[in-house]
Each structure stands twice: as C-alpha cells, then as structure tokens.
Amino acid sequence: MNVLDSFRLEGKTALVTGCSRGIGLAMAEGLAEAGANIVGVSASLPEAASPAREAVEGRGRKFWSYRCDFSDRDSVKAFIEKLQDNHTCIDILVNNAGTILRAPASEHGDELWDEVIEVNLNAQFLLAREIGKTMVERGSGKIIFIASLLSFQGGITVPGYAASKGAIKQLTMALSNEWAGKGVCVNAIAPGYIATDNTEALRNDPVRSRQILERIPADRWGASEDFKGPVVFLASEASNYVTGVTLVADGGWLGR
C-alpha cells in the first residue's frame, strides 16, 4: 500500500461527539476530507442545517445528526441505544465532547465537580465501553479521546477539569491494554492552548494571554484546524501500531 493510501478513510463511519464547533467541528471536517462518513452528536446540534453537516456533505460524505446531553446519564444511554439501532458499524469513535467550569478549589462546589466529571469522563467511558465492545467483536476499530495539557499539569481554578483530563489519559492506556490485541487502537490527543470557546476567558485576559504566548515556542495560539491531521492519522491504518498514546499538539508548550 502506498503510504498516502494508508491515511484514506473511504467506507468508514466515524462518530464525533461535540462536533458543532471548535476542535470537534474541525476533526469531523478532516475525517470527511479523508473519506469517512460522519455521525455527529452534541447537546445543541441541529438536525437540519449546521456547520458540521455543511462541512461533511460539502465533501461528498454522509452526515447523521443527533443531540445528547452528556451531563445526563440517562440521555447518554438513550443516545447509545438509538445509535445501535441506526448504525450497525462505527469504525471510529472520537470522544471530543467536554466542558470546563472555573472556580477556586475552595469554592468549587459539588455541582461543578459532578457536571464536569459526568461530561468529561463518565459519558466518555460509557460510549467507549459500548462502541468498543462492538469493535472488539468485529476485530477492528479506532477510539480517540481528547485529553488536555491538564492531563499532565494541574492548572489553576479548574480542579474538576484537571481531574477529568488526567483520568482520560489513564483510561486511554487502560482500554488500550485490554483491546490492542483484539484489533482496537485506543489513543488520545492532548490539545494545548487553542483559540476556542473554552479559552475565551484566558484570551481576553491581557496578562494571562501574554504569559501563555510567551511560553509557547510556536508563538501563537493553536487553531481548530491544527487537529485535522492528528485525528486522521489516529483514525487511519497509518497508525495501526500506535496505541495507548496521548499525542500532544501544543505548539511546544510541554517541552519548554
């Protein structure tokens, strides 16, 4: 096989959570550009017109739209049932949906902690477990979690987020240990400081924004489009011997 052909995803179906905007939208677009059909889901994704549908169908691929409140366990289970009824084969799972709630640790209430952990960890595990089960039975599949720099660092005023993203890194390795020998690769991508809704408060703080940029060797905030390449690589046959890895895309932040 030509090496470029190993990145092609024709005939594959990818489920991308949190694909209505930002990194999730860019990854759905990148996977479609590589040939995959996309099942999109987020808490607010319209069934008809949406940027995700336009991006995917504009590249000649199929797009199916679902809504799910990832902070509600019953909603996640209902979505999984609907998914299994309508889509017999998910080849690629991109667990991207997430949230971040900021408050000092001493003021970080139970409701903040519970919501972040439910969205960023519990829902992710349920999806990986149920879709991963069918991948194991089939003997092939790719699961890609979205981790964070706070999978490696503690952060400030985001204890729930840091805990959830640290757990995602560990979950990636745990599932890989069990499923790699059964044809299922489980990896994660850890974005650095990216210009998305999650970092708006930081980018609007002139002092904090300057401090962040001074530490990034690439000398810029990341863009959502920077994640098209990594997700296509981890979703394709080009990465068949890569598993249990958290791929960092941070402009050099951690190496500083």
Side-chain angles (χ1 to χ4, degrees):
M1 178 187 296
N2 182 290
V3 67
L4 293 180
D5 290 336
S6 69
F7 288 87
R8 302 182 70 86
L9 298 174
E10 278 88 355
K12 303 292 186 181
T13 298
L15 169 62
V16 184
T17 72
C19 69
S20 61
R21 60 185 184 275
I23 292 173
L25 174 57
M27 291 192 297
E29 185 174 4
L31 292 167
E33 288 173 355
N37 297 315
I38 306 297
V39 178
V41 56
S42 77
S44 59
L45 190 64
E47 289 189 10
S50 69
R53 180 178 294 279
E54 181 179 346
V56 172
E57 292 184 346
R59 284 152 180 81
R61 308 303 169 190
K62 295 179 181 178
F63 183 81
W64 297 272
S65 175
Y66 295 90
R67 285 189 180 184
C68 178
D69 179 359
F70 291 102
S71 68
D72 184 293
R73 187 78 58 92
D74 290 336
S75 178
V76 174
K77 290 181 176 179
F79 165 66
I80 292 171
E81 289 182 8
K82 186 181 297 185
L83 182 73
Q84 292 172 335
D85 288 340
N86 296 339
H87 304 277
T88 57
C89 180
I90 298 295
D91 303 287
I92 302 153
L93 168 62
V94 181
N95 254 329
N96 169 71
T99 191
I100 186 168
L101 299 174
R102 300 178 185 276
S106 60
E107 303 167 17
H108 203 82
D110 291 353
E111 71 283 358
L112 300 183
W113 176 272
D114 290 345
E115 181 175 346
V116 171
I117 296 299
E118 194 65 38
V119 173
N120 291 5
L121 181 59
N122 294 343
Q124 311 253 348
F125 174 67
L126 289 178
L127 282 167
R129 182 186 67 196
E130 296 307 311
I131 294 173
K133 187 184 304 182
T134 65
M135 291 177 173
V136 168
E137 291 171 354
R138 196 169 61 243
S140 67
K142 302 277 186 166
I143 296 176
I144 303 160
F145 290 99
I146 302 303
S148 167
L149 289 182
L150 298 195
S151 300
F152 304 89
Q153 301 174 321
I156 301 171
T157 70
V158 287
Y161 184 83
S164 70
K165 292 301 184 176
I168 286 296
K169 181 174 179 290
Q170 294 300 116
L171 180 59
T172 297
M173 293 187 289
L175 297 182
S176 175
N177 287 343
E178 292 193 37
W179 294 345
K182 299 175 182 177
V184 180
C185 295
V186 185
N187 293 291
I189 300 171
Y193 285 93
I194 314 301
T196 65
D197 293 350
N198 277 357
T199 60
E200 185 175 6
L202 293 175
R203 288 181 287 115
N204 289 339
D205 182 331
V207 174
R208 190 76 180 103
S209 181
R210 176 180 54 79
Q211 292 172 338
I212 289 169
L213 278 175
E214 286 175 348
R215 179 172 166 169
I216 301 174
D219 196 32
R220 68 174 176 88
W221 288 77
S224 297
E225 289 72 20
D226 290 320
F227 295 87
K228 288 184 176 182
V231 77
V232 168
F233 169 62
L234 292 177
S236 70
E237 293 184 10
S239 63
N240 279 353
Y241 200 59
V242 179
T243 189
V245 167
T246 296
L247 173 62
V248 179
D250 68 348
W253 172 278
L254 284 180
R256 192 73 176 233

